[in-house]
Amino acid sequence: MPSYTLTDSANNRWEESFQLTPNDAGLALSPAWSVTKSRLHGGRRDGVDLIHVDNGVLAFDVIPTRGMNLWKARLGSLALGWNSPVKDGPVNPAFVDANAWGGLGWLDGFDELLARCGLDSFGPPYEEAGRTYTLHGRISNIPAHFVALHAEEGKITVEGHVHETRMFQTSLRMVTKITTAPGSTTLTVRDEFTNLRDVPSDLQVLYHWNFGEPLMEEGSQFVAPVKTLVPRDRAATEGLSGFDVYGGPVPGSAEQVYLMELAGEASTGQTIALLKNREGTAGVALRYSVNDLPAFSLWKAQGGRNDGYVTGLEPATGFPNPKPYERSRKRVVTLAPSETHVAEVTLQVCEDARAVERVEAMVREIQAKTVRVVHPKPVEPFASEG
Amino acid sequence: MPSYTLTDSANNRWEESFQLTPNDAGLALSPAWSVTKSRLHGGRRDGVDLIHVDNGVLAFDVIPTRGMNLWKARLGSLALGWNSPVKDGPVNPAFVDANAWGGLGWLDGFDELLARCGLDSFGPPYEEAGRTYTLHGRISNIPAHFVALHAEEGKITVEGHVHETRMFQTSLRMVTKITTAPGSTTLTVRDEFTNLRDVPSDLQVLYHWNFGEPLMEEGSQFVAPVKTLVPRDRAATEGLSGFDVYGGPVPGSAEQVYLMELAGEASTGQTIALLKNREGTAGVALRYSVNDLPAFSLWKAQGGRNDGYVTGLEPATGFPNPKPYERSRKRVVTLAPSETHVAEVTLQVCEDARAVERVEAMVREIQAKTVRVVHPKPVEPFASEG
Amino acid sequence: MPSYTLTDSANNRWEESFQLTPNDAGLALSPAWSVTKSRLHGGRRDGVDLIHVDNGVLAFDVIPTRGMNLWKARLGSLALGWNSPVKDGPVNPAFVDANAWGGLGWLDGFDELLARCGLDSFGPPYEEAGRTYTLHGRISNIPAHFVALHAEEGKITVEGHVHETRMFQTSLRMVTKITTAPGSTTLTVRDEFTNLRDVPSDLQVLYHWNFGEPLMEEGSQFVAPVKTLVPRDRAATEGLSGFDVYGGPVPGSAEQVYLMELAGEASTGQTIALLKNREGTAGVALRYSVNDLPAFSLWKAQGGRNDGYVTGLEPATGFPNPKPYERSRKRVVTLAPSETHVAEVTLQVCEDARAVERVEAMVREIQAKTVRVVHPKPVEPFASEG
């Protein structure tokens, strides 16, 4: 399998720019695909490495400099991602000060289709034992020290390694493989999180998948096999009856978060969560195992178009509460020395009504075997506010 | 009009180096002028973009990487700017931690002739509703995502766009045009601040124009048409009688700040503030409209030569108090969605006694129509300390 | 003497890469030596300048971007330095947020053989008069604005200038000269710290020399002429009887710090501190004057191999307590305007038993003239915990 190293800090390797086509790799020429790596210059993106993968049908951008997050994606005329107030990203972490604005500085770089939160902690800023923890942790703002591209018949993989380390605190290695197939409408993010310490380590990871217009619009819908549903706070409680339907942009409206346990297939734990447009003619689905990612949060930010009209579909190891809260509810993963936790999420783009309907059928099938419990207000052990 | 794009993040354009002369632009060759763009390397300036404009008489540096601030200027042998303790700037914002030293980290990059303060807030660090706000805000430490150069007969313009954005907080676009004419002794900074949000937005902007030696020296003088004058605190109160005269450097002396309302011409609001040397043979004047920038602060830092012997002439939307104080005194601009606030300041270098005298005459003319009220100590609604 | 400027911000000079051999410099060809300067790319080391010096016997790396720290060294097969949890350094200060984790963010870049701590303060985070001070100060995270290489017969010198400045706080210039001789087993770090302010200035500097495996191992030993020995806290008190002997890695064990005054030769103040391996067949010694660096801390971090199994031999102007504590015990240097404090530390690598034994003989000689006082627990004026 042809492999190409783009970054390898340990061996002082780094490619400023790089391009690969099937022809270069000696692989089947159809469907035509390409991978392009570039370094961005100027503005807040100065020094950011970007990898653009176009599998011939689905195109997406990987950002090694931002912890291997996914920036934007596109299938034909359908743009995935969102119109973030960040405006001129992707932002080099050198220009992100996580401690700004009372620990909310993470927002300064938040404009991605997929932003990972974690790995030592995610959730709102908090303080514990004199130590401060900032919004959604560090992983999105750590450049990958190793990046490689692998190409074989029917498979294109971008591999990246990121260290989230701090003496006396944490030492986690993330090895991500972002894979797609030429001509496919899906991409898969498979992450291995390994505790490199000689003592046990916390692990928290939340996959912040974000979708704005056009998929999100007045009347678009969230569809998933829900086992438990809890509104996070008063704003979410007020919108509970229509939690799965989107309104149009309403400037100044409060964000709403719904905490869920999704049901998975009995044997594999596989579940699927869908966002479809109003007409049901396009959508995106996330497929993953609830065994790896037992918690799911639905984030609805339905403010103005220019203020971040966006929804987050967020499979995770736990809920976005401060870690001490999650720890006491047993939702923080503990990794023994050298132990690895694997999580895999597949993004499927549904390009027509038939594809949407097929996903909905899968959801119905799983839901049929599961009672849906809806809590009318915030309730333990999911949320403290009541 | 020939235009040259130097940075355009949205279109992945960025010029590492660039030079333009009248000959290149097909314009009149005399007076000879040039614009040179370079990227700096090494030290804390690593990665900083700098644009040097020499109009044939007046030369100055624009720093796209530092929010389009002006670094230094020179007219013949007369250097404008100051000897900042920063020493080896201009400093890349990547090396500035605004949260350092209790929120005073902004000082680590402060060495400019013109440093804009704002845009969400300026003034000392403060906390409000659990959010921290650092000294003088963020705009000076945000790289411009768009930079262009325009040249036409009699006019050279450097244009820059900077986004100060943060989801849930602010989304302001600054479009600045810094203009001069070949052979001129002036430059004009014209800024448009637009609220990109769908909800109203605060705007605070203060133009921190800084001058050290040789213009500032023992016996140099500040001259302006003052309507109201208030010492900010005890140190300023002690120096009130000689507020408009400078002493020589006195190591360890406390900074003094005088808060003022300047009078403007009745029809246009245009005012003018002058700093002239002891002999009155050289000076700098700021011209602007009090309608756009109703507040003016005079900052006198008369410590040792090596500690920042400098004075700040600071037209602004308000006074450098914490924003909550300014808000309650109605001095924070509120921009409706898509609304734009424009501010324009012209720096005029007075190269001889005649030019100085001409400015003084203008000041006298405006002052003649305005009673000057001097408060003997800090007083509401200007300063809380009394 | 041939000199080569690699970085000179004031004159816009910077060399992306550079190599020098005796042949280039017109010097004796044997022993063969070389100096190589490169810029690193990718990961968290993106934008870091590194200078590799190989004197033919001893090789080491200087990091201009990290305040002229020493990254790693090697003598034949003997690696000096340590296996830091940072993993993929050297880390660009742009990616270090000193305010992270309650002011411990300095740890994010800590992976060096020699990390200087200071210069305004070192020690744990603290707050004083509303100002925050982060772990071990700023100097390790400030890029040098001037770097030069000097070569003459028998001497290779890397010179670097670093400004630690902040208006209203500090303005210190460090001029370091890191010198070695072709074929030598030693290198010398000579630093001049000058107060550039017009008022007196604090100075604190601690040389954090760090050694892990193979020199540090179960049974390796610390040998030095000790005048006073104080355990810093309870963990150190528990290990006091074996303070000078190392155990093997014990995951989860607490770090221990021993505060010492070393004895020096009567005339010069020269002292020597040794770390030798279990067999006494290899070691490293630090030579310096207790007149310049009167305090010495021994840091034993004997946790797991992957968590930073390392020891720090730390000559300093004082002990790593918060500065207010040190100030009140008269251990903060005060520099008058323009005054310079010089400190010089020589690292000697002992490549065999004979070299080790020679150093031990020196230690014995000094110790023979000095009573060793061992305090059984933390005691004033060294440590507050009792």
Side-chain angles (χ1 to χ4, degrees), chain A residues 14 19 32 61 63 70 73 89 152 177 190 278 324 343 369 371:
Chain A
W14 174 75
Q19 181 152 24
D61 299 301
I63 325 172
L70 297 180
E152 57 189 300
K177 290 183 182 162
R190 184 183 192 276
R278 180 177 50 229
K369 300 174 192 149
V371 177

Side-chain angles (χ1 to χ4, degrees), chain A residues 40-41 43-46 85-88 94-95 97 100-102 104 107-108 251-252 255 299 304-307, chain B residues 9 12 14 39 92 94 97 99 130-133 138 143-145 163 165-169 171 196-199:
Chain A
L40 308 181
H41 296 286
R44 290 189 290 171
R45 60 172 58 182
D46 198 77
V86 163
K87 300 221 175 285
D88 53 65
F95 299 122
D97 177 2
W101 212 39
L104 296 176
L107 293 168
D108 293 9
E255 56 174 357
W299 175 54
R305 258 190 191 92
N306 295 299
D307 301 340
Chain B
S9 287
N12 273 329
W14 174 75
R39 164 143 293 195
N92 192 321
D97 177 2
N99 287 280
R131 304 286 175 257
T132 47
Y133 298 81
R138 300 163 65 203
H145 63 277
H163 282 141
T165 64
R166 180 174 288 151
M167 195 169 182
F168 304 124
Q169 186 197 16
S171 189
L196 302 181
R197 298 195 74 187
D198 293 319
V199 292

Side-chain angles (χ1 to χ4, degrees), chain A residues 223-225 262 270-274 285-287 348 359 362-363 366:
Chain A
V223 184
L262 299 191
Q270 283 292 312
T271 190
I272 189 161
L274 169 75
L286 300 182
R287 299 161 178 260
Q348 177 187 340
V359 169
M362 288 186 228
V363 172
I366 302 173

Side-chain angles (χ1 to χ4, degrees), chain C residues 281-303:
Chain C
T281 55
V284 283
L286 300 183
R287 299 161 178 261
Y288 64 93
S289 168
V290 297
N291 298 336
D292 300 331
L293 300 168
F296 184 92
S297 297
L298 180 67
W299 174 54
K300 297 170 78 179
Q302 300 180 103

Side-chain angles (χ1 to χ4, degrees), chain C residues 247-260:
Chain C
V250 177
S253 59
E255 56 173 357
Q256 297 168 319
V257 176
Y258 298 95
L259 311 177
M260 308 183 198

Side-chain angles (χ1 to χ4, degrees), chain A residues 31 54-60 73-76 78 80 113 154 179-188 209 211 215 283-287 345-352 354-356 358-359 362:
Chain A
D54 183 344
N55 75 14
V57 167
L58 177 66
F60 57 92
R74 174 173 288 274
L75 190 147
L78 178 64
L80 302 181
L113 169 63
T179 303
T180 191
S184 160
T185 58
T186 72
L187 67 87
T188 296
W209 291 92
F211 306 97
L215 282 184
V284 282
L286 300 182
R287 299 161 178 260
V345 182
T346 293
L347 174 78
Q348 177 187 340
V349 185
C350 303
E351 75 281 25
D352 56 22
R354 220 173 112 215
V356 168
R358 232 178 290 139
V359 169
M362 288 186 228

